[in-house]
Amino acid sequence: VNVNIGYQHPKLVEAIREQAARLCTIQPSFANDARSEAARLIAEAAPGDLNRVFFTNGGAEATENALRMARIHTGKFKVLSAFRSYHGATAGAIAMTGEPRRWASEPGMPGVVRYFGPYPYRSAFYAETPEQESERALAHLRDLIVFEGPQTVAAIILETIVGTNGVLVPPPGYLAGVRALCDEFGIVMICDEVMAGFGRAGEWFAINHWGVTPDLITFAKGVNSGYVPLGGVLINDAINESFQQK
């Protein structure tokens, strides 16, 4: 799930040892050279204008903060999340999760609306081809946005490649279609790459395979192979600017 460079990699172990000898911890609102350099390297690997990084202690915290950013940036409330998804075990992250691990935690955070993502093998849309699955899944998502009220929807969150619910690779055109819907209705597109990021899909970020740039990317796990508790949110320029003003 997360040890993508293997156990006890000598270079990473030495980097942790060196930093611990210099400075073991630092308050989140303070800057230091290691944090700034890590942010620079991550932003350089990210697509498009995802030029800022907000660091967290892990993946669930990253998805929670991404939602908070989307709500503050848009002034809207609802988040659309897929069935067959997992976004973490903290209160907001488990509420956004679309599978049985959330049941024991319900009722949870309000404002979460579920949708069916594409899954050609067990199509909810009776599709006969991957292209048809993509088209029908996008039509379903559009209908849901319209009936929920675009003026109420802050974000759509999805795993770029669904992880623990089956390693489901999106069919052609789906991610670009979600991007187009978000642009049309003023919705923040959040890609959860806690599992799929940092080489797990053969690219720095899995979304690069489809040439799509979301507004926010959450990451953790593979960013340091799980050696230390670290995650974060990549933030585009528009959302970053919103926080400079508020």
Side-chain angles (χ1 to χ4, degrees):
V1 172
N2 64 334
V3 190
N4 51 325
I5 61 168
Y7 292 82
Q8 306 307 117
H9 193 292
K11 289 185 178 180
L12 188 46
V13 170
E14 181 54 33
I16 293 169
R17 189 187 342 267
E18 179 184 338
Q19 181 60 37
R22 293 180 61 223
L23 186 64
C24 290
T25 185
I26 186 170
Q27 211 243 74
S29 61
F30 290 175
N32 79 324
D33 58 340
R35 180 177 289 156
S36 298
E37 179 65 3
R40 183 186 70 81
L41 292 168
I42 293 167
E44 283 185 354
D49 64 343
L50 292 159
N51 295 318
R52 297 291 188 275
V53 179
F54 178 83
F55 286 113
T56 67
N57 293 310
E61 195 180 327
T63 60
E64 295 229 11
N65 277 284
L67 176 58
R68 291 169 64 196
M69 292 177 195
R71 283 175 165 173
I72 293 169
H73 174 68
T74 62
K76 298 188 282 186
F77 180 64
K78 293 176 186 173
V79 55
L80 307 188
S81 70
F83 291 107
R84 299 190 184 96
S85 68
Y86 183 75
H87 296 293
T90 53
I94 198 68
M96 290 187 283
T97 289
E99 46 105 307
R101 277 178 279 188
R102 80 172 189 276
W103 293 349
S105 300
E106 292 178 323
M109 175 184 69
V112 180
V113 180
R114 310 252 176 250
Y115 65 91
F116 283 102
Y119 187 10
Y121 184 64
R122 290 188 173 89
S123 175
F125 311 107
Y126 305 99
E128 296 179 353
T129 66
E131 292 76 14
Q132 198 174 71
E133 178 75 1
S134 180
E135 179 182 346
R136 294 180 182 183
L138 288 167
H140 158 71
L141 187 56
R142 169 184 278 278
D143 285 346
L144 190 64
I145 293 168
V146 170
F147 280 105
E148 287 294 331
Q151 73 278 7
T152 72
V153 180
I156 297 173
I157 188 168
L158 54 84
E159 293 172 272
T160 309
I161 297 175
V162 174
T164 55
N165 282 272
V167 189
L168 311 179
V169 179
Y174 181 73
L175 293 174
V178 174
R179 175 71 274 176
L181 286 173
C182 288
D183 290 341
E184 179 181 353
F185 292 111
I187 296 169
V188 172
M189 181 179 181
I190 305 172
C191 280
D192 181 345
E193 296 226 357
V194 170
M195 283 191 67
F198 292 93
R200 298 298 290 200
E203 294 277 353
W204 278 114
F205 294 95
I207 195 73
N208 292 344
H209 283 293
W210 290 275
V212 173
T213 300
D215 301 297
L216 300 169
I217 294 178
T218 63
F219 64 86
K221 291 184 175 18
V223 68
N224 59 35
S225 199
Y227 283 35
V228 298
L230 182 67
V233 186
L234 274 155
I235 308 164
N236 71 8
D237 290 340
I239 295 177
N240 174 67
E241 181 62 25
S242 179
F243 283 90
Q244 303 307 311
Q245 302 298 323
K246 293 183 179 181

